Amino acid sequence: MTARAAPAPVRPPRAPGSTTGRVLQTLVLAVGAWLVVTSALAALLSAVGLWRPLLVLPLLALAAGGCVLAVRETPSMAVPRWTAVALVAVTAASGAWTAATHSEQVLPRRDAGSYYQQAVSLADTGRRVVPVDPDVLGGPDVLAQEGLTLASPAFYQVGSASDPAIQPQFVTGPAAVYSLGQWLGGLVPTLVIPGLAMAVAALGVGLLTGRVLGVRWAPLAALGTALLFPVLHTARATYSEPLASVPLVAGLLALTAAARWGLPGALASRSALLAGALLGGTALLRVDGLREAVLLIPVAGLVAAQGRRWPRSLLLGAGASTAVAAVAALTLSRRYLGDIAGSLVPLIALGVALAALTWAASVGWERGRRLPPSVSRRLPGALAAAVLAVGLLLASRPLWLTVRQSAEDPGARVVAGLQQQQGLAVDGGRTYAEDTVAWLAWWVGPVALAVALVALAVAVHRASTRWTLGELLPAWVPALVVAGGSTLLTLWRPGITPDHPWAERRLLIPLVLVVVAVLAAAAEVQRRSVDWVGHRYAVAPGEVLHRRVRAVVRAVPATVVVLALLVPTAVATAPHRTERVELGSAAAVGDLCRSLEDGDVVLMVDSRAVNEWPQVVRGSCGHPAVATTAALRSDQVGFAAAVRTLEEGVRASGGRLVLLATDSTRILGALGASDLRQVVDTVVLEDPRLLEERPEDLVPLRITVWLASPGVSGG
């Protein structure tokens, strides 16, 4: 007899929409992973001057394929066709609109312009820290003069006078990603990248919400996220937040997938490893991504206490990617870390404290220590009450607290100037951190905030009830711990100069959490409406009209809750729908660059010139640039002597010194400058800088630049 071959295993049919859900999730996870890999690769290659397109672009293409392979087996959910169409339509439309209305912040007046200039420098030089030849300036002795510096806002001078270099502020990741836009076409491709990245993040929020609440809620979550003004405003410019949002959301999506009960252990561990790597790797794009990484420590403790093994993989992934981010920052952004030590050290201390508490709790748990039954019974109610109390405490702070920092802090001087301009009591030490809940209310409305707070309290009550009963925690608990903890830390201490809409960048995670919490409330209202209508009005199978009436009655309460979020959000964002911040500033940069000649070395002679133009001249225009300090500019004799010495050195090296002024020609006249010419005179619209009001429109900003040659006598 001939042995029959064993029948081939038959795969169970996939649920309708499972392929669509997998494709959409793979897109979000792969883009998040690719951004982390790109940032890590940039830290390595830019440290040795090898961030060059011929090497980098093929490597990043290979990395993209590898990321897809690495994430495609992460458990996904089925997304019905029309739900997927709605979700993709919302995110694609938001990305297209954001890209079409992108800002043009190319001057380093804000972080967006600083990141843009860092991208230009990295794309052109291939280096993160760019050396400067002191001989071009007349030699080390010229640069060693007191009051002359290569430094400017967001760009540090490092090294010695004989071997100087420019070290950009912040971490390497955003400049690396935006430098790809420079290689692929320059200004416009670079400026549309953040809008596209934020669209992917909104897609991730939709998928995450769909996994937690039910897939029908995914398009609404994406829509609510895209409508938020702080999301739109940030995504229109080359900030770090649009890029960092993608691995953050992707990490929470993978974390929620790992937390599903019934998932095979190996697959759960693999998803957790990916989640940890994404959340820890966010610090390669924003250093405060460390905040979300340290919040994984209590998550790991909670889940491990229920016998799951994947928390080890979660901490391994987070620890490895955080370590890479730390090494990159210490190597390439050391001065920046020193500047933000006041925020970074407490965050590290929090991580240590959470690790110690989690370890102590885990040891006690393994030894059989449990809460007394009387405490366990009261724990869910106590925790829910604590959530409400904390929310009310934060909201009421303006009534009983004024948060201040040292009046010597550089930000305090900025705040004092803004207060004087806006007719407020001058108190530069104020951080306005007590108003953070009001900042949220500006963009989603107070009703949505109240609903979100109640929804969070209910979620905590349900999770803690299941914990005290010894039941399995819901899969959404880890993401809630990370997002809720991050929101609490941000609202308590936003750590940013409190001018708006500048400060709104800190609100992205809290606002998105509000969106998801309100939708959770709507889902709960709908469920209860269905139960109530089903019990109150039993309908016979043939009563079609009554069934339709019942369906309408079921939908109305949930719709009201959703509209309480979407309507105030849309109304608040509407005045900003077509804003293009600082449109025309790129043309101003072009005018200046065309006015300079080969061999020109540019000296900034007033405060605004020092704040805005050194790196633009150095990077966008490709000419050496030197700045002056305020102390030197206040010493007329010393200033003239320094200019004379620099001019002689530049002339001896075969170049020509050019003086650049922006405020007026007064300083140029005092220096006896000649050949005076105005090369830039334009008006653009910039963001206002408000301290106590919601921004509603843009304000004019005049950009003027005069160039001149030093006087023969030195003034």
Side-chain angles (χ1 to χ4, degrees):
M1 292 180 64
T2 303
R4 292 185 178 181
V10 178
R11 292 184 178 180
R14 288 183 175 178
S18 60
T19 300
T20 303
R22 184 176 298 276
V23 169
L24 295 178
Q25 178 178 276
T26 297
L27 172 64
V28 175
L29 296 180
V31 173
W34 183 82
L35 288 170
V36 171
V37 171
T38 299
S39 301
L41 185 65
L44 175 64
L45 296 181
S46 69
V48 292
L50 292 179
W51 189 254
R52 296 295 186 181
L54 291 179
L55 172 63
V56 170
L57 293 179
L59 289 176
L60 293 184
L62 292 173
C67 290
V68 171
L69 293 176
V71 307
R72 65 178 181 175
E73 296 303 322
T74 304
S76 59
M77 63 177 180
V79 180
R81 179 181 301 172
W82 290 111
T83 301
V85 169
L87 180 58
V88 171
V90 167
T91 53
S94 70
W97 182 252
T98 305
T101 58
H102 64 78
S103 297
E104 204 172 85
Q105 299 183 51
V106 300
L107 297 176
R109 307 181 65 253
R110 296 285 192 277
D111 286 358
S114 300
Y115 280 119
Y116 178 82
Q117 291 300 329
Q118 290 177 23
V120 170
S121 174
L122 185 58
D124 289 346
T125 67
R127 291 183 175 275
R128 168 66 175 176
V129 181
V130 181
V132 176
D133 182 4
D135 292 338
V136 174
L137 308 175
D141 292 342
V142 173
L143 193 57
Q145 289 185 96
E146 192 73 26
L148 295 181
T149 178
L150 300 175
S152 60
F155 295 88
Y156 304 102
Q157 178 181 329
V158 296
S160 62
S162 60
D163 187 23
I166 303 298
Q167 182 184 93
Q169 196 181 22
F170 312 122
V171 292
T172 311
V177 176
Y178 292 136
S179 72
L180 306 180
Q182 287 293 301
W183 289 339
L184 297 176
L187 178 72
V188 174
T190 304
L191 296 180
V192 302
I193 288 174
L196 300 180
M198 194 65 90
V200 175
L203 175 61
V205 172
L207 293 174
L208 179 60
T209 305
R211 183 182 286 278
V212 171
L213 302 180
V215 71
R216 73 172 70 91
W217 299 98
L220 283 174
L223 176 63
T225 299
L227 279 177
L228 293 166
F229 168 71
V231 170
L232 176 64
H233 180 263
T234 307
R236 281 172 165 165
T238 47
Y239 290 108
S240 60
E241 284 86 356
L243 304 180
S245 295
V246 181
L248 173 60
V249 173
L252 295 179
L253 188 59
L255 182 59
T256 307
R260 286 176 52 193
W261 287 94
L263 201 64
L267 190 55
S269 294
R270 184 174 177 179
S271 299
L273 182 68
L274 173 63
L278 287 167
L279 290 168
T282 304
L284 284 160
L285 292 153
R286 278 191 61 78
V287 73
D288 61 2
L290 179 62
R291 178 181 55 217
E292 287 72 45
V294 301
L295 290 169
L296 294 177
I297 297 172
V299 166
L302 281 173
V303 176
Q306 293 203 312
R308 307 294 295 274
R309 300 184 64 85
W310 58 260
R312 297 178 183 176
S313 299
L314 176 68
L315 294 181
L316 176 63
S321 57
T322 302
V324 171
V327 170
L330 288 169
T331 304
L332 302 174
S333 307
R334 186 182 296 271
R335 288 284 301 275
Y336 172 56
L337 297 184
D339 282 354
I340 63 169
S343 297
L344 194 59
V345 171
L347 191 55
I348 295 172
L350 174 64
V352 173
L354 287 176
L357 290 172
T358 302
W359 175 81
S362 299
V363 170
W365 187 267
E366 291 174 359
R367 294 177 178 177
R369 296 175 183 172
R370 302 291 187 270
L371 293 173
S374 59
V375 176
S376 293
R377 285 194 301 270
R378 294 180 175 87
L379 183 63
L383 290 179
V387 171
L388 295 174
V390 169
L392 294 174
L393 178 74
L394 290 172
S396 67
R397 284 196 298 172
L399 301 177
W400 50 271
L401 179 66
T402 299
V403 182
R404 291 184 173 86
Q405 63 181 356
S406 170
E408 300 302 319
D409 187 278
R413 293 191 288 272
V414 173
V415 171
L418 294 175
Q419 289 167 333
Q420 190 170 25
Q421 294 171 16
Q422 295 167 33
L424 304 173
V426 177
D427 182 3
R430 286 195 66 181
T431 68
Y432 293 87
E434 68 273 11
D435 293 328
T436 49
V437 174
W439 300 353
L440 294 179
W442 286 350
W443 306 113
V444 296
V447 174
L449 281 186
V451 171
L453 181 60
V454 172
L456 291 173
V458 170
V460 169
H461 187 277
R462 287 183 177 171
S464 54
T465 297
R466 294 181 67 165
W467 175 269
T468 56
L469 294 176
E471 298 177 358
L472 306 179
L473 285 173
W476 45 261
V477 168
L480 178 61
V481 171
V482 174
S486 177
T487 294
L488 178 60
L489 294 173
T490 300
L491 295 181
W492 183 258
R493 188 181 184 278
I496 192 169
T497 305
D499 55 327
H500 304 275
W502 168 264
E504 263 70 340
R505 297 180 301 136
R506 288 291 191 268
L507 303 180
L508 298 190
I509 294 175
L511 283 170
V512 173
L513 179 60
V514 169
V515 169
V516 177
V518 170
L519 293 181
E524 179 67 12
V525 168
Q526 185 182 63
R527 184 184 67 81
R528 291 182 179 273
S529 299
V530 168
D531 293 344
W532 182 80
V533 172
H535 287 90
R536 182 69 177 81
Y537 300 102
V539 179
E543 297 181 18
V544 177
L545 179 60
H546 288 178
R547 287 204 303 272
R548 290 176 178 172
V549 171
R550 185 176 68 167
V552 171
V553 172
R554 288 188 317 201
V556 167
T559 301
V560 170
V561 174
V562 172
L563 292 178
L565 167 72
L566 296 184
V567 171
T569 300
V571 169
T573 302
H576 310 280
R577 62 191 180 277
T578 59
E579 286 180 351
R580 300 192 64 184
V581 178
E582 296 184 27
L583 181 65
S585 59
V589 170
D591 290 341
L592 171 63
C593 293
R594 286 187 293 271
S595 301
L596 297 173
E597 301 175 1
D598 290 343
D600 283 353
V601 175
V602 183
L603 176 68
M604 314 298 152
V605 300
D606 60 38
S607 60
R608 185 172 171 184
V610 167
N611 287 334
E612 296 178 3
W613 291 98
Q615 187 59 34
V616 175
V617 170
R618 191 181 294 122
S620 296
C621 300
H623 291 269
V626 183
T628 53
T629 65
L632 178 63
R633 294 193 299 272
S634 65
D635 178 3
Q636 186 173 353
V637 175
F639 192 6
V643 171
R644 185 165 51 249
T645 301
L646 179 60
E647 195 274 336
E648 292 171 354
V650 169
R651 189 171 60 244
S653 65
R656 181 185 69 155
L657 182 65
V658 176
L659 307 182
L660 187 152
T662 57
D663 290 333
S664 69
T665 60
R666 182 185 59 80
I667 293 181
L668 295 175
L671 291 171
S674 60
D675 190 24
L676 178 66
R677 59 197 188 279
Q678 186 173 26
V679 298
V680 175
D681 185 9
T682 188
V683 176
V684 301
L685 296 176
E686 67 163 345
D687 287 317
R689 304 187 66 179
L690 303 176
L691 295 172
E692 295 185 344
E693 298 177 9
R694 183 177 76 182
E696 296 291 350
D697 51 21
L698 302 179
V699 296
L701 170 71
R702 188 173 184 183
I703 302 176
T704 55
V705 175
W706 288 271
L707 300 181
S709 301
V712 177
S713 67

